[in-house]
Amino acid sequence: MKLRRAARIILVGPPGVGKGTQAARLITHYPQISSLSSGDLLRSNVQRRTPLGLKAESTMSAGNLVPDSMILSLILDELSSRGWLSPTPSSAAASSTPLPAPTHNQPFITQPLTSSFSPFSTPPSRSTPSDDPSASFLLDGFPRTATQAALLTPHLPINLCISIRTPAHIILSRICNRLVHAPSGRVYNTTFNPPVVPGKDDVTGEELTRRKDDDPAVWEERLRRFEDTREGLVGFYREKGVLWEVEGESSDEITPRILGEMERQFCQG
Ligand code: AP5
Ligand code: MG
C-alpha cells in the first residue's frame, strides 16, 4: 500500500498493550514508514552503558518515567541523525561519549547515538518536517506525557495519534510470556507469537532475553505511571484533532482496524 502524504504517527497505550507488535506489523505493511521506540532507544543506551543509559537504568527498572528533557533530547538527536530534522542544539552540543564499548550492533539505529543529556536551558530550535511520504515515521512510547507532546510539537507536528486500549488483566498474562531480541527490539511471546526455534531470534538466531521490567510488580508500577499521564497526553492530541482510539482484546483484532484507518487517512484522495 502506498502513502500519499507523510504519516507522522505516535502509538499510545499501556505497557504490554502491543505497541511494539503493531509497529512491526505497520512497517511491514507500509515499508515507507520507519519506526522508533523510545523504550528500545533507552535500553540500547543502558546496554551500551552510555552516560544517559547509566542515568536512566534505575528509573526504568523501577517502572518510572525518565525525565522529559532526557527523553526529548534523545529522540530529537535520533530524528536528526536519520535526517528528518535539522540538527538540534542538543545534538550539536553533545557533551558526553559512551563509556565502555558497545556489545551489539543496533540495526534500527542508523548512526551512533550522541548520548547527549542536555536539559534544555534554552528552548530548542524549530524545524520544518517534510511532507514527502518517505519522511513517514511512527513513534512508539514517545511522547508519553502532555509535556513531552508540547515539547515535540514545534519540531514535529504529529498527524495521527493512535491510542490502543486492552483490559489490564489480559495484558498482564502476556507480559509474563514476553521474550525480546534486545539488539533489534523484535518482540515474541511464548504463546502468542513464539520464535521458530525456542529462545532464539528468527532473523539472527541470537539468544532472546526477558526485559528487566517485565516483572508483575514493576509492570503494575508502569501501568500506574501510564494511567497518571494518559488523559493529559490523549487530551493534547484530541484538541489538535488527530486522536484516533481503538479498543480490542487481541492484536489480531486491532491490526486490521489500524490498517483501515491508515488507508483512510494517508492513502486516499
Ligand atoms: P517501553 O519500552 O516503551 O515500554 P512500555 O510502554 O511499558 O510498553 P512495552 O514495550 O512493555 O509494551 P508494548 O505495548 O510495546 O507491547 P508488546 O508489543 O511488546 O518503555 C520502557 C521504559 O522506558 C518505561 O517504563 C520508562 O521508564 C522508559 N520510557 C520509555 N519512553 C519514555 C518516555 N517517553 N518518557 C519517559 N520515560 C520513558 O507486547 C507485549 C507482549 O504481548 C509481547 O510478548 C507480545 O508478543 C504479546 N502480545 C501482543 N499482542 C498479543 C495478543 N494479541 N495476544 C497475546 N499476546 C500478545
Ligand atoms: Mg514496546
Side-chain angles (χ1 to χ4, degrees):
M1 189 64 68
K2 258 195 148 195
L3 301 169
R4 296 175 71 100
R5 65 183 179 110
R8 295 187 293 272
I9 304 171
I10 67 163
L11 287 182
V12 175
V17 77
K19 300 183 292 294
T21 302
Q22 298 297 347
R25 291 175 178 184
L26 267 173
I27 59 175
T28 305
H29 204 84
Y30 292 100
Q32 289 152 297
I33 301 182
S34 305
S35 79
L36 179 60
S37 151
S38 54
D40 287 349
L41 210 47
L42 284 166
R43 282 184 287 277
S44 145
N45 275 259
V46 170
Q47 186 198 5
R48 293 181 303 121
R49 307 196 62 70
T50 66
L52 186 147
L54 293 175
K55 276 180 201 283
E57 188 170 19
S58 56
T59 309
M60 291 173 74
S61 44
N64 293 320
L65 294 179
V66 305
D68 289 337
S69 53
M70 180 194 278
I71 193 78
L72 184 74
S73 164
L74 185 64
I75 295 277
L76 293 183
D77 281 354
E78 181 61 19
L79 295 180
S80 300
S81 80
R82 292 179 181 215
W84 298 343
L85 286 178
S86 48
T88 63
S90 64
S91 55
S95 57
S96 48
T97 48
L99 294 176
T103 51
H104 286 288
N105 288 327
Q106 305 291 333
F108 81 102
I109 298 166
T110 50
Q111 293 178 21
L113 292 174
T114 56
S115 310
S116 57
F117 171 41
S118 54
F120 293 120
S121 46
T122 52
S125 65
R126 286 166 188 254
S127 314
T128 314
S130 163
D131 243 338
D132 191 283
S134 65
S136 295
F137 64 82
L138 186 159
L139 299 178
D140 158 4
F142 178 87
R144 223 177 185 91
T145 63
T147 309
Q148 291 180 6
L151 286 167
L152 179 70
T153 298
H155 300 274
L156 277 186
I158 294 301
N159 55 18
L160 178 63
C161 167
I162 301 177
S163 165
I164 310 175
R165 285 171 173 273
T166 293
H169 69 275
I170 293 177
I171 301 178
L172 183 55
S173 64
R174 297 176 186 175
I175 286 294
C176 304
N177 297 324
R178 173 162 62 182
L179 292 172
V180 292
H181 178 243
S184 67
R186 272 185 288 280
V187 180
Y188 299 86
N189 189 286
T190 50
T191 54
F192 162 69
N193 59 339
V196 176
V197 177
K200 306 281 185 198
D201 177 45
D202 288 352
V203 177
T204 64
E206 289 169 341
E207 207 67 36
L208 299 176
T209 51
R210 273 180 67 81
R211 271 172 45 177
K212 273 193 186 158
D213 57 0
D214 273 351
D215 161 273
V218 177
W219 178 79
E220 276 177 25
E221 187 54 38
R222 285 159 57 205
L223 181 64
R224 248 195 306 279
R225 295 281 162 224
F226 173 75
E227 297 298 350
D228 286 350
T229 53
R230 183 190 178 284
E231 191 40 49
L233 179 62
V234 299
F236 181 92
Y237 288 112
R238 189 182 292 117
E239 262 182 34
K240 301 248 174 246
V242 297
L243 176 67
W244 180 75
E245 301 194 80
V246 58
E247 190 160 354
E249 296 203 351
S250 107
S251 300
D252 294 345
E253 184 187 334
I254 290 172
T255 304
R257 295 191 203 155
I258 294 183
L259 292 178
E261 184 62 16
M262 288 287 301
E263 195 178 331
R264 199 181 69 74
Q265 294 227 10
F266 298 108
C267 303
Q268 292 172 0

